[in-house]
Amino acid sequence: MLGSLSVLTIGALMLASFEVAASDVSIGVGNPYPVSDYTCQDGTRLAVRLLGDRASVSVNGATAVDLPLMGPDGTTYSNGQHTLTFVQGRLSWGVGRAVPSACTGG
């Protein structure tokens, strides 16, 4: 009886340690669309996820908005109200007709 109990205990511990190890390996792995954080000159904080044909942007921690890709060059995303632009590796963020603000981070 004692022998079968210890075998069960060892088996349970082995299963538990395998589950922890497997989940640790999978954290963040395989995410093809990572989030990049930026801070703009005007103080705006952006969390940007580029999704190919659109960008998902969270402004100052608010719910993300999707901005469709504009044009064939793949550097501008806009919904008419918000505009995200990448020029020579630099990001800028514009709202409405205001002058876009340069942002750093990534």
Side-chain angles (χ1 to χ4, degrees):
M1 173 85 171
L2 185 58
S4 63
L5 182 58
S6 62
V7 169
L8 286 174
T9 302
I10 291 171
L13 289 172
M14 287 176 60
L15 266 174
S17 66
F18 174 74
E19 288 178 16
V20 170
S23 66
D24 286 346
V25 170
S26 65
I27 294 173
V29 172
N31 183 355
Y33 307 113
V35 174
S36 297
D37 296 314
Y38 295 88
T39 301
C40 302
Q41 286 179 342
D42 65 1
T44 302
R45 291 175 293 109
L46 304 176
V48 178
R49 179 173 284 163
L50 299 178
L51 305 169
D53 64 341
R54 68 193 193 302
S56 178
V57 182
S58 173
V59 180
N60 296 325
T63 302
V65 294
D66 280 347
L67 306 177
L69 179 64
M70 307 300 289
D73 61 356
T75 60
T76 302
Y77 300 84
S78 181
N79 64 3
Q81 176 63 26
H82 301 96
T83 302
L84 183 72
T85 306
F86 292 93
V87 176
Q88 296 179 350
R90 294 187 178 166
L91 182 134
S92 64
W93 174 250
V95 178
R97 295 180 183 212
V99 174
S101 180
C103 307
T104 58

